[in-house]
Amino acid sequence: MTERRASRDTLAQGREGAARGRRSSARARSAPGSPFSPVRRAAAPSPHPLRGSGYPQPPVRAAGAVARPGFAEYQASAFGDVRLLVHDCPAWDIFDSDWYTSRNLIGSADIVVIKYNVNDKCSFHEVKDNYIPVIKRALNSIPVIIAAVGTRQNEELPCTCPLCTSDQGSCVSTTEGIHLARELGATYLELHSLDDFYIGKYFGGVNVGRDDSIGVERALNSRVEIFFLETEKMPVLKAEASHYNSDLNNLLFCCQCADVVFYHPDLPEVAQAHKIVLCAVSHVFMLLFSVKSAADVQDPSIIQAAQDLFAVTRDSPGAGRASPGNPPLRVVVKDALFCSCLSHILRFIYSGAFQWEELEDAIRKKLKDSGDVSNVIEKVKCILKTPGKINCLRNCKTYQARKPLWFYNTSLKFFLNKPMLADVVFEIQGTTVPAHRAILVARCEVMAAMFNGNYMEAKSVLIPVYGVSKETFLSFLEYLYTDSCCPAGIFQAMCLLICAEMYQVSRLQHICELFIVTQLQSMPSRELASMNLDIVDLLKKAKFHHSDCLSTWLLHFIATNYLIFSQKPEFQDLSVEERSFVEKHRWPSNLYLKQLAEYRKYIHSRKCRCLVM
């Protein structure tokens, strides 16, 4: 590498530029049309570029791309038909002079190749001491190749023995190169020269659209970034947005499975609600519906609020049926003003009990008098009070910016698989699982049709469930109650996916798909080779249960890890169509293996000299 006339001031400027570059790296990598990104990518890159599942297309120039002074840009090909876009920096002076551009090129690269001349030891140490620490901070897990180029002065071919120290005087030894590669977590290569033979073996031949003025000596001093652009990508699985809050709000508006009615003797308004939702947010309602006793609550203010506001009665006729044979519970609201605003209060509670300003505005429009408004708001605060704690809901505007008070996803979990307020019981594998129709109807359309249609389940309390284990069904109910789930492993996630498909809960299907993908991606090669999980059986189940994204991803995954899965017995169970897809997109490809074998044969045919071994 050409020796660089560097001063400490120039190096300091480069490091200051590195600090500025880090703050913008995330934006530069995420914006395909950014002027710092030389290539617009059709999709996200493969997790490991050298194990990609497809064949790249020619690079496409981003609209409005800005040229980089000093960086030579050309196309190359590797492994026959893999096309690359290369940014060639001929000297480290240019690399350091525009650190912002260099930093963003590093951040958007798929592979970084750092080359040095084995006969220029001074430049090697300058790069190692001054540039490698800066580059290391900018890499962000990008694969790196360290290429030692040239023939050492005392041998015909580069020695690959790490013990050889015969050339440590004036040349960069193999040991030094290997240590540098280890420091960067890089792959170490030794190239005799940059002619077409060696480039063809390692990178497929840099001979497409390259300017003749870029010679071998200039390439020896270059730093190269290679961009892999692929047509066939691992499909991206995206989770569906949660509609948890809207499901529970719709439950209030539709009044399905309502099991409690609030009224005042002097008012015509009647408000229907659901015990489980009210109890999930308030200990006052837990006392009212006998979920907890006064001894459990141990808070006099909550006990007094329950006695002052409500009274339970069963002698008045009800409107509708909450569950088979049980009319809804009728509750008298003792405060007429509070009862007149109860519809707004219930909407506030079902939305998460945190939109205080909206509640206050609605009550103010209803009552007009500011004293009455304050009185009703204080009663709402008493209902939402936590036992044993001072009421902290004094400033409604301050609390407006916080999260929902009662957190549906944690409060409803208190009632999961418990008989309290349960109005339906599922019979699974000889055991029973209690549940609540209101939550099931709000969260699952199949359950809503089942409980509200002309089906046997609509008139029965005990409902048998077939084809699902108790553990899987409990995980399914946990998702309905809390909007989250955490499978114990890939097998349980697939069972839960099948259950979600049976009840047509698409978001849960997507969550299970993402869990399976994440688990498989995190497995190292040794674990993939030794695991007992039948990946082909997983693929067939995904297809059978209409999980198209997961089945497509699994096909790509098998092709990407061809050498592992092709040795397993279940590989023969792939259909003809699946086998054809895997063979077409396999990695490593047949062409790559053929070229690798030819290179190894050539290396072993040469007489390489080593003074140690």
Side-chain angles (χ1 to χ4, degrees):
M1 179 174 290
T2 305
E3 249 183 87
R4 173 185 178 282
R5 301 190 305 274
S7 65
R8 295 183 179 178
D9 295 338
T10 304
L11 183 58
Q13 292 175 3
R15 290 175 177 171
E16 290 173 1
R20 292 192 300 269
R22 283 187 214 103
R23 292 191 290 269
S24 62
S25 61
R27 294 190 297 273
R29 295 190 65 183
S30 62
S34 169
F36 304 105
S37 177
V39 178
R40 183 183 296 276
R41 295 179 179 173
S46 173
H48 195 302
L50 292 181
R51 295 172 61 191
S53 58
Y55 297 94
Q57 292 178 336
V60 179
R61 178 76 57 190
V66 178
R68 290 163 178 76
F71 282 83
E73 181 179 308
Y74 57 89
Q75 296 184 30
S77 62
F79 312 127
D81 54 359
V82 179
R83 298 183 183 178
L84 316 174
L85 179 62
V86 181
H87 291 270
D88 193 344
C89 181
W92 286 102
D93 289 315
I94 297 175
F95 177 81
D96 194 23
S97 63
D98 188 1
W99 168 248
Y100 186 79
T101 298
S102 303
R103 170 63 181 84
N104 283 284
L105 279 174
I106 294 175
S108 58
D110 291 316
I111 296 179
V112 173
V113 180
I114 300 176
K115 297 179 291 188
Y116 64 87
N117 192 337
V118 296
N119 294 309
D120 194 346
K121 195 165 187 175
C122 294
S123 295
F124 171 82
H125 283 293
E126 184 179 7
V127 170
K128 178 182 177 181
D129 297 337
N130 298 334
Y131 289 101
I132 293 301
V134 179
I135 294 174
K136 187 177 181 180
R137 291 194 297 269
L139 282 175
N140 193 21
S141 303
I142 298 171
V144 180
I145 296 176
I146 301 292
V149 184
T151 302
R152 293 181 179 85
Q153 295 174 355
N154 63 339
E155 62 181 358
E156 180 181 352
L157 286 173
C159 179
T160 57
C161 170
L163 302 178
C164 186
T165 58
S166 61
D167 55 356
Q168 289 187 359
S170 59
C171 304
V172 181
S173 67
T174 301
T175 305
E176 291 176 294
I178 292 175
H179 287 168
L180 177 62
R182 287 177 179 174
E183 182 180 346
L184 282 175
T187 299
Y188 177 75
L189 299 177
E190 290 201 353
L191 306 178
H192 182 206
S193 65
L194 285 180
D195 57 22
D196 280 341
F197 174 79
Y198 282 93
I199 288 295
K201 291 302 176 185
Y202 285 107
F203 305 109
V206 182
N207 51 20
V208 181
R210 180 168 179 172
D211 191 346
D212 293 338
S213 62
I214 304 177
V216 174
E217 287 300 321
R218 184 175 178 183
L220 285 173
N221 300 323
S222 67
R223 176 194 172 282
V224 180
E225 296 185 18
I226 302 177
F227 293 79
F228 279 81
L229 293 161
E230 302 174 357
T231 56
E232 291 290 344
K233 292 291 183 179
M234 298 285 277
V236 179
L237 277 67
K238 295 182 179 179
E240 182 182 333
S242 174
H243 39 79
Y244 189 75
N245 291 334
S246 61
D247 288 344
L248 294 176
N249 274 317
N250 292 335
L251 180 66
L252 174 64
F253 295 140
C254 299
C255 293
Q256 292 180 327
C257 301
D259 54 4
V260 60
V261 176
F262 294 94
Y263 73 99
H264 188 275
D266 300 332
L267 297 177
E269 293 91 349
V270 174
Q272 295 183 339
H274 307 83
K275 296 177 186 177
I276 184 171
V277 177
L278 299 177
C279 290
V281 68
S282 170
H283 285 79
V284 170
F285 291 115
M286 284 189 176
L287 284 173
L288 183 65
F289 302 134
S290 302
V291 175
K292 287 187 176 182
S293 64
D296 296 329
V297 175
Q298 294 183 346
D299 190 314
S301 62
I302 293 179
I303 298 173
Q304 190 64 39
Q307 295 173 352
D308 293 343
L309 284 176
F310 307 105
V312 176
T313 178
R314 294 182 182 272
D315 55 359
S316 298
R321 298 167 71 85
S323 60
N326 293 326
L329 184 68
R330 295 183 64 83
V331 176
V332 177
V333 182
K334 298 180 180 180
D335 189 328
L337 292 177
F338 186 87
C339 186
S340 65
C341 301
L342 191 57
S343 60
H344 301 293
I345 296 171
L346 289 176
R347 192 177 301 115
F348 166 75
I349 290 174
Y350 275 68
S351 65
F354 76 106
Q355 299 174 352
W356 285 97
E357 288 186 348
E358 295 181 11
L359 174 64
E360 195 170 5
D361 292 341
I363 295 176
R364 187 177 293 108
K365 292 177 182 178
K366 183 78 174 179
L367 299 182
K368 308 297 183 184
D369 185 82
S370 59
D372 293 338
V373 172
S374 299
N375 185 30
V376 172
I377 290 292
E378 288 300 321
K379 286 182 170 61
V380 175
K381 293 177 182 178
C382 290
I383 290 176
L384 302 179
K385 183 177 182 295
T386 302
K389 293 185 179 181
I390 300 175
N391 197 341
C392 60
L393 309 180
R394 296 179 181 177
N395 190 338
C396 295
K397 293 184 178 180
T398 301
Y399 200 79
Q400 170 74 14
R402 300 183 183 180
K403 293 181 179 180
L405 170 66
W406 62 287
F407 299 109
Y408 285 114
N409 59 344
T410 55
S411 299
L412 285 178
K413 192 173 183 179
F414 176 77
F415 297 94
L416 178 63
N417 195 24
K418 292 182 181 178
M420 296 177 296
L421 303 178
D423 52 8
V424 63
V425 177
F426 293 100
E427 186 178 15
I428 310 169
Q429 296 179 335
T431 61
T432 57
V433 176
H436 307 81
R437 291 175 184 255
I439 303 302
L440 303 179
V441 167
R443 299 281 289 138
C444 177
E445 293 182 1
V446 172
M447 295 273 192
M450 184 173 66
F451 289 130
N452 293 306
N454 295 322
Y455 299 100
M456 178 186 67
E457 291 83 359
K459 303 175 182 179
S460 177
V461 175
L462 185 64
I463 299 175
V465 176
Y466 304 103
V468 180
S469 67
K470 180 181 178 182
E471 292 74 17
T472 300
F473 194 75
L474 281 175
S475 297
F476 174 71
L477 290 181
E478 180 182 4
Y479 170 79
L480 297 184
Y481 277 67
T482 66
D483 201 41
S484 64
C485 67
C486 186
I490 294 177
F491 178 77
Q492 186 183 1
M494 179 53 73
C495 293
L496 187 56
L497 185 149
I498 295 172
C499 182
E501 191 266 340
M502 182 170 64
Y503 288 100
Q504 297 181 19
V505 182
S506 60
R507 184 170 182 270
L508 179 56
Q509 281 184 270
H510 295 157
I511 291 176
C512 294
E513 289 175 348
L514 285 172
F515 180 87
I516 293 171
V517 168
T518 303
Q519 291 293 307
L520 289 175
Q521 281 183 329
S522 64
M523 288 185 181
S525 298
R526 288 184 179 179
E527 188 174 351
L528 284 175
S530 61
M531 71 175 182
N532 295 323
L533 182 67
D534 189 338
I535 196 75
V536 177
D537 181 62
L538 207 65
L539 169 64
K540 293 187 179 298
K541 286 181 178 178
K543 281 191 171 183
F544 184 80
H545 293 282
H546 310 290
S547 183
D548 297 332
C549 290
L550 179 60
S551 61
T552 305
W553 188 92
L554 287 172
L555 269 178
H556 279 272
F557 187 69
I558 294 173
T560 304
N561 298 275
Y562 183 87
L563 294 182
I564 295 175
F565 293 116
S566 61
Q567 304 300 318
K568 292 179 175 287
E570 60 267 18
F571 186 79
Q572 305 302 323
D573 297 333
L574 290 171
S575 66
V576 175
E577 182 183 355
E578 293 166 349
R579 186 71 173 266
S580 175
F581 180 92
V582 170
E583 292 292 345
K584 179 181 178 181
H585 300 91
R586 56 172 287 182
W587 180 260
S589 65
N590 287 322
L591 178 61
Y592 170 79
L593 294 177
K594 181 180 178 181
Q595 291 181 344
L596 182 61
E598 290 176 356
Y599 172 73
R600 287 175 174 171
K601 182 179 179 180
Y602 174 83
I603 288 297
H604 289 299
S605 67
R606 301 295 300 269
K607 295 181 180 179
C608 301
R609 295 178 299 170
C610 177
L611 300 181
V612 177
M613 299 184 67

